[in-house]
Amino acid sequence: METPHELHSFDQLMRSNLSGTNLQEFNRIFYGRSNNFDLDVKKKNLHIGNENDFEIAAYDFPAKKEETRKPRVVKVGLIQHSIAIDTDRPITEQRSAIFEKIRKIIETAADEGVNVLCLQEAWSMPFAFCTREKQPWCEFAESVIDGPSTLFLKEFASKYSMVIISPILERDEIYGDTIWNTAVVINEFGKVIGKHRKNHIPRVGDFNESTYYFEGNTGHPVFETTYGRIAINICYGRHHPLNWLMFGVNGAEIVFNPSATVAGLSEHLWSIEARNAAIANNYFTCAINRVGTEKFQNEFTSGDGKPAHKEFGHFYGSSYITAPDGSRTPGLSRVMDGLLIAQLDLNMCRQIKDKWGFCMTQRLDLYASSLSNAVSVNFVPQRIPRD
């Protein structure tokens, strides 16, 4: 729910204060196109959103018509949400409450024709990593194949012929019960076709997620699906341009960035990083952030000199989608659950590659050689002395 001290939405603020030519000019400069190409949402689904306190927004990214290729249109959906009940309740109750909240949003996405759906980072639990406590939070960790979150989502995937990306806390029972921050990919038949583990782990102040899991070991996989080639750059990985680059090198057409990030830390970067990645790598990017303020039973510090507290901060939502040409959708609310839908013509990826030639001019050979030298124990920086 909206709180008095939080701005509902930057995008809504601009729309409510601009009109006519001024609004068109703002859209052109900020979003990259004068017209946001809003898509109609069914009235019954708008009603469902109002009844269940989540917003729905939908936009189109058409590509130019080609003579030799048919349009490759896919609908993607992003879900941002708050937790459902207090964090001191039993683990199974917390997870079940989130499931029931998300069920309505997934069904709405399916009714709107969404083909690929992505949830936020660690969607089926509170973002308890800030507490640095192992118990009871490690109990949320689950199997990729038959954990509660996977079993819950598999039914929707097969029922609605939908590819679903489920970022969870993974328990790897084969290799020593280790824990990972993992995105599970479920295809339209309800089959788990693979997973990707978070490559970059934040170490900011005394907030260190390696308390729970280490850097991922799955590389930069791109999943070939019925609806296109997709990849997942989990949360903190958005701060690392080479992470985005490698998904592009491996042929991604859509890269999802499921996240959990709070106001005051990197919000000024939020609208920039995924958008820059779309431009530099000529693919669509989908940035998803959770929403709400989560309170925990015990106090903890954040390495910022402030007194110990029970809240990590306000997760500001603002999920958005960017096209390969750098144009983007308005963001979802900073305070409400939401479903963001976009209709993408994947032909735009190649069209923008042809226009800008970034892949032809990026000189991977040059950087591969330089980076190889940089990781050597005998590395000498290429610097020219003054004298």
Side-chain angles (χ1 to χ4, degrees):
M1 294 292 292
E2 182 177 358
T3 53
H5 62 281
E6 290 291 347
L7 176 68
H8 182 276
S9 166
F10 167 77
D11 305 83
Q12 185 185 74
L13 176 67
M14 300 308 297
R15 287 194 297 268
S16 63
N17 285 277
L18 295 174
S19 61
T21 303
N22 286 339
L23 180 58
Q24 287 185 345
E25 277 296 278
F26 172 79
N27 289 344
R28 181 184 67 82
I29 295 168
F30 186 77
Y31 298 120
R33 51 187 190 172
S34 299
N35 185 340
N36 285 323
F37 290 91
D38 298 74
L39 291 175
D40 290 333
V41 176
K42 296 177 182 178
K43 289 184 178 180
K44 68 171 184 175
N45 289 330
L46 292 173
H47 177 71
I48 290 172
N50 289 331
E51 287 284 306
N52 294 280
D53 205 27
F54 67 89
E55 69 169 321
I56 310 173
Y59 306 95
D60 189 20
F61 285 101
K64 294 180 179 179
K65 291 185 178 180
E66 300 183 15
E67 294 185 29
T68 57
R69 292 193 303 173
K70 295 180 179 179
R72 300 176 58 226
V73 177
V74 57
K75 263 192 179 181
V76 300
L78 317 182
I79 296 178
Q80 67 175 43
H81 65 90
S82 59
I83 57 174
I85 59 177
D86 293 340
T87 61
D88 60 355
R89 300 281 289 277
I91 296 297
T92 54
E93 289 185 15
Q94 291 188 55
R95 183 161 50 206
S96 295
I98 292 174
F99 283 2
E100 287 309 303
K101 169 186 278 205
I102 295 305
R103 178 188 303 276
K104 300 179 181 68
I105 306 179
I106 295 176
E107 290 172 344
T108 301
D111 194 52
E112 289 294 332
V114 167
N115 307 119
V116 184
L117 184 70
C118 187
L119 289 89
Q120 65 198 25
E121 182 185 25
W123 70 273
S124 54
M125 63 177 290
F127 196 74
F129 312 131
C130 57
T131 68
R132 298 185 297 282
E133 297 173 332
K134 291 299 185 70
Q135 292 298 324
W137 314 119
C138 287
E139 295 185 43
F140 275 103
E142 57 184 291
S143 165
V144 162
I145 301 299
D146 57 8
S149 298
T150 298
L151 295 179
F152 173 73
L153 293 175
K154 285 173 69 173
E155 294 185 15
F156 294 106
S158 58
K159 180 178 181 179
Y160 297 117
S161 297
M162 182 189 295
V163 171
I164 300 180
I165 300 166
S166 173
I168 62 169
L169 191 62
E170 176 196 358
R171 171 77 69 181
D172 190 343
E173 297 175 345
I174 295 177
Y175 292 100
D177 277 327
T178 50
I179 295 177
W180 305 88
N181 188 320
T182 301
V184 183
V185 182
I186 305 169
N187 73 7
E188 71 273 25
F189 303 109
K191 178 183 177 182
V192 174
I193 61 172
K195 65 186 178 185
H196 173 56
R197 290 169 171 166
K198 186 173 182 176
N199 279 332
H200 296 276
I201 305 301
R203 292 170 174 82
V204 181
D206 59 359
F207 175 61
N208 187 337
E209 288 182 18
S210 63
T211 301
Y212 300 89
Y213 43 80
F214 292 108
E215 284 79 6
N217 58 2
T218 53
H220 296 86
V222 172
F223 300 90
E224 295 188 351
T225 76
T226 300
Y227 307 114
R229 298 189 299 272
I230 65 175
I232 309 99
N233 182 1
I234 303 173
C235 196
Y236 193 74
R238 73 181 181 276
H239 301 312
H240 296 269
L242 291 180
N243 209 38
W244 292 106
L245 170 68
M246 289 308 303
F247 292 119
V249 168
N250 287 330
E253 295 172 308
I254 312 170
V255 180
F256 295 87
N257 177 225
S259 298
T261 185
V262 293
L265 179 61
S266 61
E267 189 168 5
H268 61 295
L269 305 177
W270 175 251
S271 63
I272 300 171
E273 290 169 311
R275 193 175 190 181
N276 282 349
I279 297 167
N281 299 289
N282 304 135
Y283 50 48
F284 290 91
T285 59
C286 302
I288 313 130
N289 186 27
R290 71 169 54 203
V291 70
T293 302
E294 302 172 2
K295 298 180 180 179
F296 298 93
Q297 187 172 2
N298 300 321
E299 292 183 337
F300 54 89
T301 59
S302 296
D304 55 7
K306 296 180 180 180
H309 41 78
K310 295 184 178 182
E311 301 174 0
F312 184 49
H314 174 70
F315 295 101
Y316 53 81
S318 306
S319 303
Y320 70 99
I321 295 171
T322 304
D325 64 357
S327 61
R328 55 156 287 185
T329 68
L332 289 178
S333 169
R334 298 180 72 257
V335 294
M336 286 184 64
D337 294 354
L339 169 63
L340 177 61
I341 299 170
Q343 182 169 274
L344 320 176
D345 187 340
L346 299 182
N347 281 354
M348 189 189 294
C349 296
R350 183 190 291 180
Q351 292 174 6
I352 299 302
K353 287 178 181 178
D354 289 346
K355 178 178 180 179
W356 286 106
F358 289 159
C359 290
M360 297 172 62
T361 59
Q362 63 187 351
R363 295 299 308 277
L364 292 182
D365 56 337
L366 174 65
Y367 297 108
S369 175
S370 297
L371 289 171
S372 179
N373 291 332
V375 298
S376 169
V377 295
N378 299 315
F379 172 60
V380 177
Q382 186 179 1
R383 300 175 183 165
I384 309 302
R386 287 181 293 176
D387 298 326

